[in-house]
Amino acid sequence: MSSNDTEDRPAVGADSPFRQEHITRDQAPQYVLPLVVRIEKTGPPARTDALETAARAVLVLLSDERSLGEGEWAGAVRDWQDARIRKVVRRARGAEWRKAATLPGITVEGTGTAGAAGAEGAAGTVGAEVRVFPPVPLDGWPKELVKLQVSGTDLDDPEPAGPADPGVPVLWLNPDLDMSAGKAMAQAGHAAQLAWWELTGAERARWRDSGFRLAVRTAGPERWAELTGSGLPVVRDAGFTEIAPGSCTVVADHPALRSRLNTLLE
């Protein structure tokens, strides 16, 4: 197979979550991807900025050399993707955040502009900070993270997020679901990951080179109906927390995937 053939094919394969040695995803050992969002008592991030930063953090980890091939995180990442792609978002501030930052992982910073006004935001908001860690067994969280709270991740947008820039991948939220910011961050991360799996190697590289630009927006009811029937990747929640099993939470509208669907329909 030529290198061009490889670049033109979806990049799933050795890193596919559906490898043949597992009959079902539920029979595989279960791992979870920990994400920690920094929420200080003063100056919390805007909700949309936090959602977008969490989604980008997942992509940064997936593309990191430590997650690929024989990298130090690669085995855990493969095992996690073989099972359910669980993600749990916890919050930290002050000393908790500093302790979390000592663990192997990657901190991704937001723009501070989604749902806020400028780098300092509005009403005291600041740019989001999310640290993503390599997957851990479901019952094997590091002690620095296990005590962090899942609750208390409710965030607001001081101003409504404006339209996404043209050509930027958009993760569309279900307008009929009321999710906490932490839950929505995990769901946005799921959607980004589903899109990543479907992209070719060349498409992945272009997205990575852009700094994983993306937007998270809530779809209108008519738009949501169109999106869920479009063939684009749809996140269906397992129902462990907050919402009913099987609920469609996010649709990943990546331009490369939409273009591919449009070509098939021509």
Side-chain angles (χ1 to χ4, degrees):
M1 180 182 296
S2 70
S3 60
N4 287 339
D5 289 338
T6 302
E7 289 184 352
D8 290 340
R9 296 184 61 187
V12 295
D15 60 349
S16 171
F18 307 113
R19 292 190 299 175
Q20 294 300 312
E21 53 261 46
H22 295 303
I23 299 174
T24 72
R25 294 162 67 195
D26 288 330
Q27 289 179 314
Q30 297 297 306
Y31 282 72
V32 62
L33 187 77
L35 297 110
V36 175
V37 57
R38 184 178 185 179
I39 303 179
E40 298 291 346
K41 290 183 178 180
T42 59
R47 178 185 174 96
T48 297
D49 191 28
L51 268 58
E52 293 175 353
T53 305
R56 288 174 47 237
V58 171
L59 295 168
V60 168
L61 180 127
L62 290 171
S63 63
D64 191 277
E65 63 181 9
R66 290 166 289 185
S67 299
L68 305 173
E70 300 302 318
E72 61 184 289
W73 299 344
V77 171
R78 281 194 298 270
D79 288 342
W80 167 59
Q81 292 191 110
D82 276 342
R84 293 189 176 275
I85 55 168
R86 297 188 184 191
K87 301 175 182 69
V88 172
V89 177
R90 298 188 175 187
R91 62 177 173 86
R93 64 169 60 103
E96 296 173 333
W97 175 258
R98 291 190 292 273
K99 287 180 181 178
T102 65
L103 297 177
I106 306 169
T107 297
V108 177
E109 297 183 355
T111 63
T113 59
E120 288 298 325
T125 61
V126 297
E129 290 183 74
V130 175
R131 188 164 179 85
V132 60
F133 304 87
V136 298
L138 200 57
D139 57 355
W141 283 66
K143 60 181 175 54
E144 293 88 348
L145 303 182
V146 73
K147 293 183 179 180
L148 298 180
Q149 296 297 309
V150 176
S151 60
T153 55
D154 291 326
L155 299 169
D156 296 315
D157 280 328
E159 299 177 358
D165 292 338
V168 171
V170 182
L171 310 178
W172 293 102
L173 301 174
N174 185 335
D176 297 322
L177 293 179
D178 183 17
M179 294 184 284
S180 68
K183 179 72 172 181
M185 289 170 68
Q187 298 299 301
H190 293 337
Q193 187 168 359
L194 293 183
W196 180 253
W197 283 343
E198 295 298 326
L199 295 174
T200 66
E203 290 163 349
R204 285 182 172 187
R206 285 193 290 272
W207 202 8
R208 183 178 60 247
D209 291 344
S210 77
F212 292 117
R213 290 188 66 203
L214 56 82
V216 176
R217 298 292 185 269
T218 299
E222 292 185 4
R223 177 69 165 159
W224 181 251
E226 181 271 323
L227 286 164
T228 54
S230 65
L232 291 166
V234 182
V235 178
R236 291 179 172 82
D237 192 63
F240 294 121
T241 59
E242 294 194 24
I243 57 179
S247 297
C248 296
T249 58
V250 192
V251 174
D253 191 356
H254 192 291
L257 301 183
R258 184 170 284 277
S259 176
R260 199 175 301 159
L261 288 172
N262 290 339
T263 300
L264 291 173
L265 294 174
E266 290 177 355

